[in-house]
Amino acid sequence: MSLLDEEGNQDESLESKTLSAEDQVKDHSTGTRVVAGQIFLESGKSDSQSENEENFHSQEEEKENSLEELNSLEMSNLLNKDLEEAEIQSPVLTAIGGTADGEPCHFPFLFMEKEYAECTADGREDGRLWCATTYDYKKDQKWGFCESEEQSNKRRQMQEAEDVYQIGMKILNESSKKAQKKVAYQYLLKAADMNHTKAMEKVSYALLFGDYLKQNIQSSKELFEKLTEEGSPKGQMALGFLYASGLGVNSSQAKALVYYTFGALGGNLIAHMILGYRYWAGIGVLQSCESALTHYRLVANHVASDISLTGGTVVQRIRLADEVENPGMASGMLEEDLIQYYQFLAEKGDVQAQVGLGQLHLHGGRGVEQNHQRAFEYFNQAANAGNSHAMAFLGKMYSEGSDVVPQSNETALQYFKKAADMGNPVGQSGLGMAYLYGRGVPVNYELALKYFQKAAEQGWVDGQLQLGSMYYNGIGVKKDYKQALKYFNLASQGGHILAFYNLAQMHATGTGVMRSCHTAVELFKNVCERGRWSERLMTAYNSYKDGDSNSAVVQYLLLAEQGYEVAQSNAAFILDQKEASIVGENETYPRALLHWNRAASQGYTVARIKLGDYHFYGFGTDVDYETAFIHYRLASEQQHSAQAMFNLGYMHEKGLGIKQDIHLAKRFYDMAAEASPDAQVPVFLALCKLGVIYSLQYIREINIREVFSHIDMDQLLGPEWDLYLMTIIALLLGTIIAYRQRQHQAIPRPAGLRPAVPQQEPPPEHQAPQ
């Protein structure tokens, strides 16, 4: 299922949902609170300030209680006042044409024994809206149109477009077959031709990525421009991407920044994420950690609010370079044969296979699509066999509820209790959640703390996360930021998204730790990259595997703009292999160099080595041995890369970009052999070559004639040294002649020329014993 399909059910996919102005204003507060394991911002206060505020916290609560009634009265009065003002300020409709042209419409009015509070099309075949200018239409027959003919035609056209759009979306969301989805996009195309904004957004992205429509960058660009004129944040963000990547337009980072900014102001989450990365890395703007923090925090708030107890879908980060070298090994994908084998074991009653497949289908990932129905069936089978882990996960599914499993706190509690009684940490954590929030049982913080501690002791991340939240908020325990930090760190080591989010909030506000903008941004970035748009990584990979490199590279390029390091390296890899025809041949290497550079800046070793290669061979840039040497040295020192060490050895050997030094060359070759077993054979060959070069260089450096002229043989071997030498030579010649004669005697003669020799019995004394 593509990410565009996902948006049909929940509009927060690749194009992302749009934030309201209120949401954006709310996010700029700086204090914190924790809800369901998530810290949200409230008011700015440091760690020391928060400790001081604890002293008068109870007084504040009393004030709040005393003001509560007054506030509710004031709010009701304000609402009544607003309603009155709204009624006064509402525009008065004037009848157009009819029998009462120019007279104000009367609401409500009576028509066919029914009262109407707004204009209606009832009683008219052409669908035009009308109103009566007196209460009783039947009695006075006074009426007029509420809209001009042009307005009426436009409204009817938009209604028709909306109907076509809804048909397309219905087919898109209800079908999993590719042919049906293509049919759905034909409806969306028709609605887009009728200027339906949402349809235009979906079609433009489908044309950009080649999702169920033939990829057409130019057509998508025209639609994005049209959407931008209408003020669509999705259109503005996409147009910014086209200018940033130079697809269909001349590359312009300045224009890209302008469109990204407008998209972010319109509330587009992808635009916020892109700006966060640009301010963090200093791309097209002055590097600013605080600006990056603002954008990343806003996106992270929305990603964290969507995370359920099951943790959401798994992000697949597959590197194409590793996949090409070792197919299936680096990606972590499960082969179809292996999945079928596990399914066979599960059908035969293998409980571990049932639980494993249940978890795979619950979260999705490793080549398995998320499927709650299949997950529920596998967990049920394992639970019936008495598996505590399956019981706990069934409790989770009932606690959260879905289209497949109806939400039921009572059923969830039963499963959690069974699993917890068997010592299962997932069940203990679930039971702790039930007592913490009163789901099926009365709220009991002591019991919640007890069960979370049990789960945390067994290393279960949910238990660690909730313990951290309780210590952070002081729920059931004394508020302790150090303990909260400890448990959030433990949960983050297990990869829990909300743990990263909570740690980011603590570092951003300096709560319990020294404030660190850099650490907070890195943690928020991690959270943002777990959003639903990360599913595009898998669709891009599938496009590449299907041979559609153009679609894959565009998808990776957009994800690269968002700051995904794996997308940057994959986009660079496709460009490096010259597999994308949508990028001009002259632009391939420069663009690949750009993305290798961004990936290297995020710590990817292979990208750093590639930068060295590009400068060494002059791909996309001028040949620059010194810069190549710097990149190889960085990869060697920071990531201990054997390849980089070998390259440094070669450059020292040849004197490229550095003074020639055979001793240093040997040192780097030896380091490469120690760093990786794979480097031992090439290092051995390089050292053999180096030995020959060293010997030749030594011989070249000394003068042989001069050496012999300084040697006094009489003094070294005595006055008769020539007789000794002649004797040795004679002995050597004699030895050689004797050896050659023995060889001739040992050569067998041909069978026809060999004389027959009668067989004789050996003497009795030499016979072998019987």
Side-chain angles (χ1 to χ4, degrees):
M1 180 166 63
S2 80
L3 198 58
L4 291 169
D5 306 336
E6 184 70 27
E7 193 190 77
N9 298 320
Q10 192 169 359
D11 189 27
E12 52 191 51
S13 60
L14 177 71
E15 298 97 311
S16 91
K17 60 189 177 186
T18 301
L19 306 180
S20 65
E22 291 179 4
D23 288 337
Q24 296 189 68
V25 171
K26 285 178 186 174
D27 186 67
H28 291 287
S29 51
T30 53
T32 55
R33 62 187 173 89
V34 176
V35 179
Q38 304 169 40
I39 304 175
F40 291 99
L41 303 178
E42 280 180 347
S43 60
K45 56 182 178 182
S46 66
D47 191 17
S48 59
Q49 286 175 324
S50 61
E51 288 174 5
N52 294 334
E53 286 179 12
E54 285 177 13
N55 299 327
F56 64 88
H57 184 66
S58 57
Q59 297 176 16
E60 290 295 315
E61 285 183 351
E62 289 177 9
K63 288 180 183 178
E64 286 175 9
N65 292 333
S66 62
L67 290 171
E68 196 174 68
E69 292 181 8
L70 180 61
N71 285 341
S72 61
L73 287 170
E74 286 179 354
M75 286 301 294
S76 61
N77 291 335
L78 285 170
L79 285 171
N80 291 333
K81 187 178 179 182
D82 288 343
L83 287 171
E84 288 171 8
E85 287 178 359
E87 287 176 7
I88 293 168
Q89 292 175 2
S90 60
V92 177
L93 282 174
T94 304
I96 302 170
T99 59
D101 184 32
E103 294 182 20
C105 292
H106 188 286
F107 297 113
F109 62 88
L110 189 67
F111 174 67
M112 301 289 287
E113 308 300 326
K114 180 182 174 182
E115 280 193 347
Y116 291 85
E118 59 185 4
C119 297
T120 181
D122 291 355
R124 293 194 64 83
E125 293 181 358
D126 60 5
R128 285 186 70 178
L129 295 173
W130 65 277
C131 68
T133 57
T134 60
Y135 175 73
D136 192 340
Y137 168 78
K138 187 177 181 181
K139 176 184 174 186
D140 301 320
Q141 296 285 312
K142 299 195 74 177
W143 67 277
F145 293 112
C146 297
E147 57 189 358
S148 65
E149 193 169 351
E150 184 182 347
Q151 291 172 329
S152 175
N153 291 335
K154 188 176 180 181
R155 179 182 57 79
R156 285 200 297 269
Q157 185 182 4
M158 291 308 297
Q159 184 59 51
E160 185 184 347
E162 177 65 23
D163 293 340
V164 174
Y165 172 76
Q166 291 301 334
I167 293 169
M169 290 304 298
K170 189 172 186 294
I171 298 170
L172 194 64
N173 294 330
E174 292 179 358
S175 176
S176 58
K177 293 180 180 178
K178 194 171 183 179
Q180 285 294 99
K181 290 183 182 293
K182 285 184 177 181
V183 171
Y185 268 95
Q186 292 307 311
Y187 280 101
L188 295 176
L189 263 174
K190 186 179 178 183
D193 290 338
M194 299 164 75
N195 295 324
H196 190 281
T197 303
K198 286 185 178 180
M200 286 165 64
E201 288 173 347
K202 291 195 75 66
V203 167
S204 58
Y205 277 95
L207 289 168
L208 178 65
F209 299 128
D211 286 335
Y212 308 113
L213 293 174
K214 187 178 179 181
Q215 190 177 30
N216 190 326
I217 304 293
Q218 195 60 37
S219 296
S220 67
K221 185 202 84 159
E222 290 169 3
L223 280 172
F224 288 139
E225 286 176 339
K226 195 171 182 181
L227 286 165
T228 299
E229 289 172 7
E230 293 179 7
S232 165
K234 292 179 184 179
Q236 291 163 341
M237 183 277 292
L239 201 54
F241 163 65
L242 292 182
Y243 276 107
S245 55
L247 294 173
V249 293
N250 292 325
S251 180
S252 171
Q253 297 304 318
K255 286 185 178 180
L257 185 63
V258 169
Y259 285 119
Y260 284 147
T261 305
F262 280 126
L265 290 172
N268 186 274
L269 293 181
I270 299 292
H272 276 294
M273 195 170 167
I274 291 170
L275 287 175
Y277 174 67
R278 286 191 161 229
Y279 278 110
W280 182 63
I283 299 171
V285 291
L286 287 174
Q287 198 167 13
S288 170
C289 184
E290 294 299 333
S291 297
L293 181 64
T294 301
H295 290 290
Y296 271 130
R297 176 190 275 165
L298 188 144
V299 180
N301 286 344
H302 288 267
V303 172
S305 67
D306 291 334
I307 301 300
S308 63
L309 289 177
T310 54
T313 55
V314 177
V315 179
Q316 294 290 324
R317 299 173 188 266
I318 303 169
R319 297 191 186 279
L320 297 182
D322 296 342
E323 180 74 3
V324 168
E325 289 182 12
N326 303 298
M329 295 297 291
S331 66
M333 303 287 287
L334 289 176
E335 296 291 338
E336 186 63 32
D337 292 343
L338 192 57
I339 294 171
Q340 288 177 1
Y341 173 68
Y342 284 131
Q343 288 172 343
F344 171 76
L345 290 178
E347 287 168 8
K348 292 294 182 183
D350 188 307
V351 176
Q352 293 302 321
Q354 291 167 348
V355 174
L357 285 171
Q359 287 181 279
L360 267 178
H361 284 95
L362 180 64
H363 301 294
R366 301 194 71 183
V368 179
E369 283 192 4
Q370 198 171 24
N371 187 326
H372 283 191
Q373 180 65 50
R374 298 292 296 277
F376 181 75
E377 290 169 1
Y378 284 123
F379 285 141
N380 237 338
Q381 291 172 18
N384 291 335
N387 184 277
S388 62
H389 217 61
M391 293 176 188
F393 273 98
L394 279 175
K396 273 192 163 195
M397 293 187 78
Y398 275 109
S399 178
E400 292 179 10
S402 65
D403 295 337
V404 176
V405 182
Q407 202 281 334
S408 172
N409 288 331
E410 290 72 23
T411 310
L413 194 65
Q414 290 173 11
Y415 280 114
F416 283 142
K417 278 184 176 177
K418 286 180 184 177
D421 290 342
M422 296 169 74
N424 184 277
V426 186
Q428 292 165 345
S429 179
L431 210 52
M433 291 293 288
Y435 282 112
L436 181 63
Y437 294 107
R439 295 172 183 170
V441 289
V443 172
N444 188 325
Y445 295 140
E446 289 182 9
L447 281 175
L449 185 71
K450 172 188 165 185
Y451 282 114
F452 287 143
Q453 283 174 334
K454 285 184 176 181
E457 284 168 7
Q458 295 188 63
W460 183 240
V461 290
D462 281 344
Q464 293 164 343
L465 176 78
Q466 296 303 331
L467 261 185
S469 299
M470 292 185 80
Y471 276 111
Y472 187 93
N473 286 322
I475 299 173
V477 289
K478 186 179 178 182
K479 191 178 287 189
D480 188 338
Y481 292 135
K482 298 296 180 187
Q483 284 292 320
L485 187 71
K486 170 191 167 183
Y487 285 112
F488 287 150
N489 271 320
L490 286 170
S492 71
Q493 289 168 18
H496 204 299
I497 306 175
L498 296 182
F500 287 116
Y501 176 79
N502 294 346
L503 285 171
Q505 293 285 28
M506 292 183 79
H507 281 93
T509 56
T511 306
V513 289
M514 184 73 71
R515 186 179 187 275
S516 171
C517 176
H518 184 76
T519 305
V521 167
E522 288 191 337
L523 289 165
F524 275 134
K525 182 175 183 288
N526 194 322
V527 175
C528 293
E529 289 181 1
R530 307 285 192 94
R532 288 189 177 272
W533 38 81
S534 64
E535 293 171 26
R536 177 61 66 183
L537 284 168
M538 201 62 219
T539 58
Y541 171 74
N542 288 332
S543 295
Y544 182 77
K545 293 294 284 184
D546 292 339
D548 191 353
S549 297
N550 284 337
S551 174
V553 78
V554 174
Q555 295 175 74
Y556 279 132
L557 284 171
L558 179 54
L559 291 164
E561 280 288 297
Q562 292 172 244
Y564 285 89
E565 178 270 307
V566 68
Q568 291 167 347
S569 58
N570 285 350
F573 174 81
I574 295 173
L575 292 168
D576 180 76
Q577 299 296 308
K578 295 190 174 181
E579 296 176 329
S581 61
I582 59 170
V583 179
E585 191 172 343
N586 294 334
E587 299 176 10
T588 301
Y589 281 135
R591 292 192 188 189
L593 180 66
L594 172 71
H595 288 95
W596 284 130
N597 194 24
R598 291 182 183 179
S601 299
Q602 297 199 60
Y604 184 39
T605 310
V606 174
R608 181 66 66 188
I609 294 169
K610 279 286 186 182
L611 283 176
D613 292 346
Y614 273 47
H615 285 93
F616 187 92
Y617 294 108
F619 294 158
T621 183
D622 295 330
V623 172
D624 187 342
Y625 294 131
E626 290 182 6
T627 305
F629 183 85
I630 290 168
H631 286 300
Y632 290 142
R633 191 178 64 190
L634 285 171
S636 169
E637 293 173 355
Q638 296 175 2
Q639 286 101 17
H640 306 290
S641 166
Q643 178 68 60
M645 292 171 186
F646 187 90
N647 293 353
L648 285 171
Y650 181 81
M651 294 186 79
H652 275 292
E653 178 190 329
K654 296 292 184 183
L656 301 171
I658 195 76
K659 185 180 177 182
Q660 188 177 25
D661 191 327
I662 290 176
H663 300 287
L664 271 177
K666 183 181 181 305
R667 180 186 169 192
F668 278 111
Y669 284 141
D670 290 338
M671 287 169 62
E674 290 174 10
S676 172
D678 295 337
Q680 289 177 357
V681 173
V683 164
F684 173 75
L685 296 172
L687 287 175
C688 290
K689 177 189 168 189
L690 200 63
V692 173
I693 292 171
Y694 180 76
S695 302
L696 291 172
Q697 186 177 343
Y698 178 77
I699 292 168
R700 195 182 299 117
E701 285 175 358
I702 63 171
N703 191 325
I704 296 173
R705 286 182 182 179
E706 191 177 334
V707 169
F708 279 109
S709 68
H710 287 292
I711 296 174
D712 188 352
M713 300 299 289
D714 290 340
Q715 188 179 355
L716 187 65
L717 298 174
E720 297 170 347
W721 64 269
D722 51 342
L723 293 174
Y724 300 146
L725 182 61
M726 288 171 67
T727 305
I728 292 168
I729 292 170
L731 286 171
L732 284 172
L733 283 170
T735 305
I736 292 167
I737 291 166
Y739 177 74
R740 296 281 291 177
Q741 283 178 347
R742 289 184 64 183
Q743 271 193 326
H744 283 299
Q745 289 173 1
I747 296 171
R749 296 181 182 181
L753 300 175
R754 184 180 297 169
V757 179
Q759 291 185 352
Q760 296 181 355
E761 291 287 333
E765 62 271 17
H766 294 297
Q767 284 184 346
Q770 300 296 319

